[in-house]
């Protein structure tokens, strides 16, 4: 019985070889996607039987047996090839096509569509280098892509013409109906001739796992909508079952490189250019069950990297919700938290490859994201409210289908609640008072909006510098008189830190002549002033406002930055102002960069291109403040 080639490819893509073989062989992970065990085909005492999930084959170095999932089932269950295929297809819910004349015709049609899409890809590439594609080429160069990268990813351009593609391919003998079937042209309902789907767009070819172009994504030039347009569903292309650059990521994963899921095409290209060749992106949709399955074939814990804004946080939450029911032993996700206003492309261009590596080391496990989904911003000041939060977490964990993973999640969440609500003993010995120096940063403000994401990106985003600047004024309250105006203008987006700043300004307003009499002497540089007098008064004020914990954390961070090499107030003021200027640039420049990129996309004028390059040059030349970085 003959099966269509596309069907066998689809079947193999849905199978995980180690799971199939693991039913009959005790496997031990060697590294990454490679396992070892005792060969089921001959007697041995030392394992020589290897299984590789990424390459989808098994091999015994003892007896020489070799094959894939279908071959293993045939050998171990004494089945014919068609019987093994049908058995595995039933397990993954794939209907077995019959080798009818219609199926053979469908396979031939798919082969023809592959040729049509490949012709379109070559034409888009050529047009990018012609005068008609100058707008697209300038855009790509303005985004920092060199010629080698543009060619490597086969980027192209679709002119803003009704038949820019259809007209050329028709002259080359491609029927119009094939262009429509391949998703390259649109057939109007009123009977008019088909017209190009992609017009006035930079084109990103989308390949299948074998590297064959099957679809396109197009980025509009100018202010048109939609900004990004993908091919529709076709016999070749199914959005929910593929990923941008999946074919390249498979090669990277085979070398144990990290698999990173970004949001957009340019993010993926930037990551590849920085050496992260396991980067992929979904195709205009949230992550699907099929895409998660593909990712878990590449890596046990792929990294999900979303933009550092509210939309990015929502996308991370949706991905976590989608993955939760599918978790199984050893398969999960990790989440990168990027600084506000940054995406992988801008982060690498402005802050360098090391910033991205640092973000990977700070990636958070899925359990943290699930915890945040149900606890952030939730009040827990009464038993009833705590019970409601706990019930919400328990309902979320109950969605996990795998019983072993579900039990471990239950234990983990119980421990988190126990740490959160266990009464701590203050140094004074009174119960119910938490000792700030004995609380980890993980336990502090667990339900503050965005707290977990900020902790993960602590060395990358501005929140750490905001804490340092506020903490420095807690250490030296007398300097509030000098720096009050600059403190009020400090860019602080975090609600909790903004409250702390307001608390400092309120304290200053309540004591115009100083926090206490020590302030005047401190400003005068008197050496015999006990700083604890002024600090103690300010601490009491903030504690009364419910800001004692965050104030303690901020002071601790400031001590590690504002060194005591010179104790004069002028030195502290100089350091503080330098750090504040750096923070202002850190917050403003990514926003300015985004605006410049958008302006260039809408109007590829020399003025906009010059402005973008000027911003990039300035950001590259701006050194990170060594004392706050």
């Amino acid at each position: 019985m003959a099966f269509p080639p596309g069907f066998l490819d689809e079947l193999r893509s849905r199978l995980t070889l180690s799971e199939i073989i693991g039913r009959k062989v005790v496997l031990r992970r060697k590294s990454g996607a490679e396992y070892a065990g005792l060969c089921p085909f001959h007697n041995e005492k030392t394992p020589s039987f290897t299984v590789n999930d990424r390459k989808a084959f098994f091999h015994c170095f003892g007896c020489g047996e070799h094959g894939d999932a279908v071959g293993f089932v045939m050998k171990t269950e004494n089945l014919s090839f068609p019987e093994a295929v049908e058995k595995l297809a039933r397990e993954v819910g794939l209907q077995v096509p019959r080798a009818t004349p219609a199926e053979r015709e469908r396979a031939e049609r798919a082969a023809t569509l592959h040729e049509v899409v490949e012709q379109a890809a070559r034409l888009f590439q050529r047009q990018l280098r012609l005068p008609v594609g100058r707008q697209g080429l300038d855009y790509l160069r303005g985004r920092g892509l060199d010629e080698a990268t543009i060619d490597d990813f086969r980027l192209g351009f679709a002119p803003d013409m009704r038949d820019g593609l259809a007209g050329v391919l028709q002259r080359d003998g491609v029927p119009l109906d094939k262009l429509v079937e391949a998703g390259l042209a649109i057939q109007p309902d009123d009977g008019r001739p088909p017209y190009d789907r992609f017009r006035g767009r930079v084109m990103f070819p989308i390949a299948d796992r074998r590297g064959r172009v099957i679809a396109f994504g197009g980025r509009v030039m100018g202010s048109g909508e939609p900004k990004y347009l993908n091919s529709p569903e076709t016999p070749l292309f199914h959005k929910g079952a593929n990923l941008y650059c999946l074919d390249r990521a498979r090669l990277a994963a085979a070398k144990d490189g990290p698999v990173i899921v970004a949001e957009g095409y340019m993010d993926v290209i930037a990551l590849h250019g920085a050496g992260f060749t396991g980067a992929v992106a979904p195709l205009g949709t949230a992550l699907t069950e099929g895409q998660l399955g593909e990712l878990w074939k590449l890596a046990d814990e792929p990294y999900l990297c979303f933009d550092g804004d509210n939309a990015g946080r929502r996308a991370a939450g949706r991905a976590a919700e989608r993955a939760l029911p599918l978790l199984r032993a050893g398969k999960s996700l990790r989440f990168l938290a990027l600084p506000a206003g940054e995406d992988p492309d801008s982060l690498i261009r402005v802050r360098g490859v090391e910033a991205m590596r640092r973000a990977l080391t700070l990636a958070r496990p899925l359990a943290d994201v699930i915890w945040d989904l149900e606890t952030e911003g939730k009040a827990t000041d009464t038993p009833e409210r705590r019970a409601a939060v706990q019930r919400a977490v328990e309902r979320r964990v109950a969605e996990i289908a795998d019983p072993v993973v579900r039990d471990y999640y239950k234990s983990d969440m119980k421990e988190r609640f126990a740490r959160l609500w266990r009464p701590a003993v203050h140094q004074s010995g009174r119960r119910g008072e938490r000792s700030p120096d004995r609380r980890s940063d993980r336990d502090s403000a667990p339900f503050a909006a965005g707290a977990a994401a900020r902790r993960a990106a602590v060395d990358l985003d501005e929140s750490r510098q905001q804490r340092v600047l506020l903490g420095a004024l807690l250490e030296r309250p007398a300097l509030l008189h000098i720096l009050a105006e600059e403190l009020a203008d400090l860019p602080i987006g975090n609600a909790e830190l903004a409250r702390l700043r307001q608390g400092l300004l309120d304290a200053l307003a309540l004591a115009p002549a100083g926090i206490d009499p020590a302030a005047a002497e401190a400003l005068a540089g008197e050496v015999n002033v006990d700083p604890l007098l002024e600090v103690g008064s300010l601490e009491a004020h903030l504690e009364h406002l419910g800001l004692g914990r965050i104030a303690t954390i901020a002071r601790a961070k400031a001590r590690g930055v504002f060194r005591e090499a010179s104790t004069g107030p002028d030195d502290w003021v100089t350091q503080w102002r330098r750090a504040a200027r750096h923070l202002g640039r850190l917050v403003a420049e990514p926003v300015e960069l985004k605006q410049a990129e958008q302006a260039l996309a809408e109007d590829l004028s020399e003025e906009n291109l010059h402005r973008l390059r000027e911003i990039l040059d300035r950001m590259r030349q701006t050194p990170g403040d060594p004392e706050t970085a």
Side-chain angles (χ1 to χ4, degrees):
M1 177 180 179
F3 296 102
F7 166 73
L8 293 176
D9 287 343
E10 179 66 21
L11 175 61
R12 292 187 178 101
S13 74
R14 296 193 185 190
L15 300 172
T16 302
L17 185 59
S18 61
E19 290 185 0
I20 295 167
I21 295 178
R23 301 168 190 166
K24 299 181 182 296
V25 180
V26 177
L27 296 176
R28 175 179 56 83
R29 187 191 299 273
K30 292 176 64 178
S31 65
E34 190 169 339
Y35 300 79
L38 295 174
C39 180
F41 304 113
H42 79 286
N43 293 324
E44 64 178 3
K45 295 183 178 179
T46 303
S48 60
F49 182 77
T50 62
V51 178
N52 193 302
D53 276 340
R54 293 195 186 113
K55 298 177 181 178
F57 70 76
F58 65 85
H59 180 79
C60 179
F61 292 94
C63 67
E65 285 287 355
H66 182 95
D68 61 3
V70 177
F72 183 83
V73 172
M74 289 172 62
K75 295 175 192 293
T76 57
E77 300 186 24
N78 196 26
L79 298 177
S80 67
F81 179 76
E83 289 171 334
V85 169
E86 290 181 356
K87 180 180 187 298
L88 292 171
R90 284 195 301 270
E91 291 181 4
V92 297
L94 192 62
Q95 186 174 358
V96 178
R98 302 302 170 186
T100 63
E103 287 296 336
R104 285 193 291 271
E105 181 184 350
R106 186 178 302 143
E108 292 170 1
R109 189 167 71 247
T112 301
L113 291 181
H114 275 297
E115 295 173 3
V116 170
V117 176
E118 175 59 33
Q119 283 183 262
R122 290 197 295 265
L123 179 60
F124 289 143
Q125 282 185 276
R126 290 199 303 270
Q127 288 173 325
L128 182 68
R129 302 294 180 176
L130 297 176
V132 71
R134 176 62 186 272
Q135 184 183 22
L137 189 59
D138 285 346
Y139 167 76
L140 293 172
R141 287 172 175 169
R143 292 295 300 266
L145 301 189
D146 57 26
E147 305 304 313
T149 300
I150 292 171
D151 290 340
D152 185 29
F153 286 87
R154 303 190 65 185
L155 305 183
F157 186 74
D160 193 6
M161 301 167 58
R162 182 179 177 84
D163 62 350
L165 174 71
V168 174
L169 293 190
Q170 270 190 290
R171 288 194 294 272
D172 290 341
V174 178
L176 268 177
D177 64 325
K178 293 299 179 185
L179 292 173
V180 174
E181 190 176 9
L184 297 169
I186 297 174
Q187 176 67 64
D189 295 333
D190 58 9
R192 287 179 298 153
Y195 58 91
D196 288 358
R197 179 178 299 275
F198 299 100
R199 292 173 291 173
R201 294 176 181 271
V202 168
M203 300 299 290
F204 299 82
I206 299 167
D208 63 12
R209 61 181 61 86
R210 293 167 59 184
R212 300 173 299 181
V213 180
I214 56 175
F216 296 92
R219 204 281 189 195
V220 72
M221 294 291 95
S223 56
E225 292 292 338
K227 184 176 179 181
Y228 282 96
L229 177 66
N230 288 322
S231 292
E233 295 282 316
T234 72
L236 301 181
F237 177 55
H238 305 288
K239 292 181 183 180
N242 211 308
L243 294 156
Y244 182 59
C245 284
L246 175 61
D247 57 318
R248 295 167 179 258
R250 293 179 70 192
L251 299 176
K255 300 176 183 177
D256 289 331
V259 175
I260 305 171
V261 183
E263 289 191 78
Y265 301 129
M266 290 301 298
D267 292 329
V268 171
I269 292 172
L271 286 164
H272 278 252
F276 302 101
T277 54
V280 297
L283 301 167
T285 64
L287 273 178
T288 66
E289 181 176 335
Q291 289 168 337
L292 285 168
E294 290 288 350
L295 291 169
W296 279 327
K297 289 174 187 173
L298 301 181
D300 288 341
E301 293 187 350
Y303 294 88
L304 269 55
C305 181
F306 297 105
D307 294 354
D309 54 18
N310 288 334
R313 292 187 64 214
R314 288 193 296 271
R318 288 193 298 269
E321 291 172 342
R322 176 62 60 88
L324 199 61
L326 308 175
L327 297 180
R328 58 186 189 273
K331 301 294 184 181
S332 188
L333 300 171
R334 297 190 72 82
F335 293 77
L336 274 67
L338 297 185
E342 296 276 28
D343 55 35
D345 181 24
S346 64
L347 182 71
I348 291 169
R349 282 188 290 124
V350 175
R351 307 194 192 190
V353 177
E354 285 304 318
M356 192 67 208
R357 291 199 183 101
R358 180 62 174 161
L360 287 171
T361 64
L362 294 169
R364 306 165 60 220
L366 176 59
D368 280 3
V369 178
I370 297 300
W371 172 261
D372 289 348
L373 282 174
E374 299 301 337
T375 61
E376 276 193 354
K378 305 292 179 61
T380 59
D381 55 329
T382 68
E384 295 83 1
R385 289 175 174 177
R386 288 196 289 272
V389 171
Q390 184 166 338
R391 180 64 59 85
V393 172
E394 290 171 350
R395 281 197 297 266
R396 184 71 72 178
V397 170
E399 296 175 13
I400 301 173
D402 187 290
V404 176
V405 176
R406 185 171 62 245
D407 286 345
Y408 275 108
Y409 260 75
K410 287 179 180 177
S411 298
D412 180 79
M413 296 301 162
K414 285 180 180 178
E415 290 175 4
R416 292 172 188 247
F417 280 119
R419 285 195 303 269
L420 176 66
W421 292 327
R422 182 187 301 121
V425 180
H426 193 270
Q427 290 174 344
S428 65
R430 290 175 292 175
R431 291 182 60 82
E433 295 186 19
R434 294 188 179 271
S435 176
D437 60 322
R438 301 180 75 171
R439 282 187 62 172
S440 67
D441 208 17
R442 177 189 180 108
D443 289 334
S444 61
F447 297 168
R454 289 192 303 277
R455 286 196 298 272
V458 68
D459 286 335
L460 289 175
D461 69 11
E462 61 272 11
S463 64
R464 178 177 183 269
Q465 299 195 35
Q466 294 168 357
R467 289 190 181 94
V468 167
L469 288 165
L470 295 174
L473 296 177
L474 289 163
E475 282 285 287
R476 294 290 186 92
L479 302 184
L480 279 167
H481 290 278
I482 301 172
L483 300 168
E485 187 173 341
E486 290 151 286
L487 172 63
D489 293 335
L490 202 64
I492 296 179
N494 174 268
E496 192 173 27
L497 295 178
R499 286 185 60 223
L500 179 58
R501 172 178 55 187
Q502 191 58 50
L504 288 168
L505 293 173
D506 289 347
L508 183 62
L510 292 171
I515 300 302
D516 62 27
E521 297 175 343
L523 285 170
E526 297 290 341
V527 296
N528 293 325
V529 172
D530 181 0
L532 294 179
L533 291 175
E534 48 181 316
V535 171
S537 299
L538 184 56
E539 281 182 340
H541 169 73
L542 296 174
E543 190 72 39
H544 177 72
L545 296 175
L547 297 168
R549 179 201 54 78
I550 187 62
T552 300
I553 293 172
R555 281 189 65 192
K557 291 189 178 298
R559 291 191 198 104
V561 173
F562 285 79
R563 307 300 182 188
E564 293 291 345
S566 177
T567 58
D570 289 343
D571 294 328
W572 278 66
V573 170
T574 301
Q575 287 189 60
W576 197 95
R577 283 175 169 159
R578 183 168 63 248
R581 286 194 299 271
H582 177 67
L583 175 61
R585 290 193 298 269
L586 192 66
V587 173
E589 286 177 338
V591 175
E592 190 178 0
L593 177 63
K594 289 280 188 184
Q595 293 171 344
E597 289 174 343
Q598 183 63 34
L600 182 64
E602 295 175 358
D603 179 12
L604 283 166
S605 65
E606 288 295 329
E607 180 182 355
N608 284 339
L609 182 61
H610 176 72
R611 180 187 173 213
L612 176 62
R613 287 173 174 166
E614 187 179 66
I615 294 169
L616 287 171
D617 289 342
R618 186 175 73 242
M619 295 175 81
R620 292 188 186 107
Q621 293 167 6
T622 300
D625 192 289
E627 294 162 353
T628 57

